[in-house]
Amino acid sequence: MIGRVLHDLVTDLYPLCRSLTGDGLRETLRRLQRHIPLTLHEVPTGTDAFDWTVPKEWNIRDAFVKNRGGERVIDFHRSNLHVVSYSVPVHRRMSLDELRPHLHTLPDRPDWIPYRAAFYSETTWGFCLTQRQLDALPDGEYEVCIDSTLAPGALTYGEYLVPGESSDEVLISVHVCHPSLANDNLSGIAVAAGLAEMLTPLALRYSYRFLFLPGTLGPIVWLARNEAHVTRIRHGLVLVCLGDAGRFTYKRSRRGDAVIDRAATHVLRHRGDHEVQSFSPYGYAERQYCSPGFDLPVGRLSRTPHGCFPEYHTSGDDLQFVTAAQLAGSLATCLEIFGVLEGERTYVNQSPKCEPQLGKRGLYRDIGDNEMAMLWVLNQSDGRHSLLDIAERSGCSFAAIRRAADRLESHGLLKAHESLGGR
Ligand code: ZN
């Protein structure tokens, strides 16, 4: 059910021509406002953000290559991948040989259109097409048109805070700058929007900040505008490529041993087949959050990582490539990771000299995992081991350890260790 809702959102957003800036990006964020009360921020062209500057805004209305008969042999309206993103305007006649350096194909995948972008160039234009389309073009003269504008405007991003009991925050960041690509950008957008919608009515420990940003420059601009507040970010996840059939891949934060790293690793281990990667300075927004001047505890959750599936950055990354079931599984996994963050605490055993007698308190009825979890919590709760520490050491799931702690606390056998707060 929830998977279908997420896939419908991917389907709704799929046709929009998103880019680093422009109306496709803006319209994407406006459509998300039907689901969550997202605030749209407009950062004007020319605004400096650390070593970067917001470029001119790019918009496109039409683009085509017409043959002598006036027939569109390449048509932007059939796929927005046909135009290199940020192409400068062009309208003239030229031979196929003159046009050829501006054409991009995938010879190894002759039925797919590649995705290309030329942000920050201001001189480049080009078309992407299938190898089969190119092979079918006869020599001769063509009318080439890209009806785009590159003009002063703004970079748009969306932000939404779900307030919790604490002003400490969990950051969820997704990129929103790719045109018709379903797994790379839309799957993350849909899962993040779904999470925001589900968390909103809940009583939460942390506040959850959702950022919908164009790649690279979006997180840089956001960090530049919010530098004074980033110490509130206690945990964070970049969500990307979450709709394909692959197993989960978690990429650790630069710190490597942050609570989010341990929480995500623990949840994935208990959910089954997965991979955990150490940090590298390549990828998505984690490159900025984990730059040395910030070094935030932000990891990245994907299924098959970017660049590791053949459909990546091609028209093969379409609405069939992502499924409702995989999107739903990704959302559930994120909720389980947040569950660890919400429930993580450190306790002190109030009856630490030998084991307390569980039977006389009615706590010995459930023989098995529950009992084992209680014994672990009692033994390890000396104010120095958190519930996540205990879950990792015992092999029990965090959820089982959390339940055991609740039962022991309700019988007066455990007390929260306030000075540590379990963080
Ligand atoms: Zn991408």
Side-chain angles (χ1 to χ4, degrees):
M1 180 62 192
I2 182 70
R4 184 95 325 259
V5 171
L6 298 181
H7 198 275
D8 286 349
L9 180 55
V10 170
T11 305
D12 179 44
L13 301 176
Y14 182 76
L16 299 173
C17 187
R18 282 164 294 274
S19 188
L20 180 61
T21 62
D23 288 332
L25 168 58
R26 221 169 259 125
E27 175 62 16
T28 297
L29 298 176
R30 285 191 188 131
R31 290 196 193 178
L32 290 178
Q33 287 179 323
R34 296 173 192 165
H35 304 266
I36 47 174
L38 202 61
T39 302
L40 268 59
H41 299 271
E42 299 280 355
V43 186
T45 297
T47 304
D48 289 327
F50 303 117
D51 202 35
W52 298 66
T53 305
V54 174
K56 290 178 183 164
E57 181 177 323
W58 185 70
N59 282 293
I60 181 160
R61 288 155 293 278
D62 194 10
F64 58 81
V65 173
K66 279 184 186 170
N67 64 17
R68 220 176 299 208
E71 182 194 349
R72 288 182 174 224
V73 292
I74 305 174
D75 185 358
F76 171 74
H77 290 299
R78 298 189 73 171
S79 169
N80 57 35
L81 297 176
H82 276 315
V83 174
V84 172
S85 196
Y86 258 75
S87 283
V88 294
V90 57
H91 193 186
R92 57 191 167 97
R93 293 183 174 280
M94 61 181 77
S95 70
L96 183 58
D97 280 344
E98 281 177 279
L99 179 57
R100 220 177 266 279
H102 297 279
L103 300 181
H104 307 278
T105 64
L106 293 168
D108 295 345
R109 302 277 180 180
D111 292 312
W112 288 348
I113 308 164
Y115 161 61
R116 292 284 159 81
F119 306 141
Y120 317 111
S121 126
E122 295 202 12
T123 57
T124 308
W125 62 267
F127 286 90
C128 300
L129 65 165
T130 69
Q131 184 65 40
R132 281 194 215 288
Q133 267 179 300
L134 178 59
D135 292 344
L137 292 183
D139 284 333
E141 201 183 57
Y142 290 88
E143 182 189 349
V144 175
C145 173
I146 296 179
D147 180 12
S148 64
T149 44
L150 204 50
L155 174 144
T156 317
Y157 68 85
E159 185 167 21
Y160 173 49
L161 185 75
V162 181
E165 187 189 318
S166 163
S167 59
D168 287 347
E169 292 178 5
V170 179
L171 181 75
I172 296 96
S173 179
V174 297
H175 68 291
V176 291
C177 52
H178 289 23
S180 292
L181 296 175
N183 200 32
D184 187 3
N185 96 21
L186 292 178
S187 67
I189 295 171
V191 169
L195 288 169
E197 214 170 350
M198 291 180 82
L199 292 182
T200 297
L202 301 182
L204 297 160
R205 171 192 193 175
Y206 287 108
S207 299
Y208 288 74
R209 187 175 298 277
F210 289 85
L211 297 178
F212 297 82
L213 308 159
T216 308
L217 197 54
I220 292 172
V221 164
W222 187 85
L223 285 165
R225 289 161 63 110
N226 294 277
E227 192 174 359
H229 310 301
V230 295
T231 48
R232 287 183 199 154
I233 298 168
R234 308 304 296 250
H235 317 283
L237 274 182
V238 171
L239 301 180
V240 60
C241 296
L242 286 166
D244 65 283
R247 63 181 181 176
F248 284 108
T249 304
Y250 177 75
K251 176 180 163 182
R252 292 180 182 276
S253 71
R254 181 174 181 269
R255 299 182 187 186
D257 61 350
V259 174
I260 186 68
D261 298 321
R262 295 174 52 212
T265 303
H266 175 82
V267 166
L268 293 188
R269 187 179 298 140
H270 281 265
R271 285 184 82 93
D273 189 23
H274 71 283
E275 188 188 339
V276 176
Q277 299 177 335
S278 44
F279 178 77
S280 67
Y282 187 64
Y284 293 86
E286 71 275 14
R287 298 161 71 151
Q288 318 311 333
Y289 302 130
C290 297
S291 58
F294 289 103
D295 199 18
L296 297 174
V298 177
R300 189 185 80 205
L301 185 69
S302 307
R303 285 183 179 272
T304 309
H306 64 103
C308 298
F309 50 95
E311 293 83 356
Y312 173 73
H313 279 191
T314 78
S315 56
D317 182 1
D318 62 11
L319 294 172
Q320 282 71 52
F321 185 61
V322 302
T323 67
Q326 301 300 95
L327 291 167
S330 297
L331 181 122
T333 300
C334 291
L335 287 174
E336 206 176 326
I337 294 170
F338 297 161
V340 175
L341 303 178
E342 291 284 315
E344 170 69 332
R345 293 278 193 293
T346 300
Y347 290 90
V348 180
N349 181 343
Q350 301 299 297
S351 178
K353 291 179 179 165
C354 299
E355 291 178 352
Q357 202 182 337
L358 298 178
K360 73 179 182 194
R361 296 177 173 88
L363 288 170
Y364 221 71
R365 281 193 299 256
D366 314 308
I367 308 299
D369 285 352
N370 289 339
E371 177 206 328
M372 204 48 120
M374 276 194 289
L375 294 178
W376 273 107
V377 171
L378 284 169
N379 182 277
Q380 295 290 297
S381 290
D382 53 7
R384 291 184 290 124
H385 302 98
S386 73
L387 296 187
L388 183 54
D389 291 330
I390 300 169
E392 285 174 337
R393 182 157 178 185
S394 66
C396 300
S397 72
F398 183 86
I401 292 292
R402 178 68 258 180
R403 274 196 305 274
D406 287 341
R407 299 188 68 197
L408 293 167
E409 191 180 25
S410 71
H411 284 82
L413 288 170
L414 276 190
K415 219 172 157 181
H417 194 296
E418 294 301 341
S419 64
L420 282 178
R423 298 282 162 83

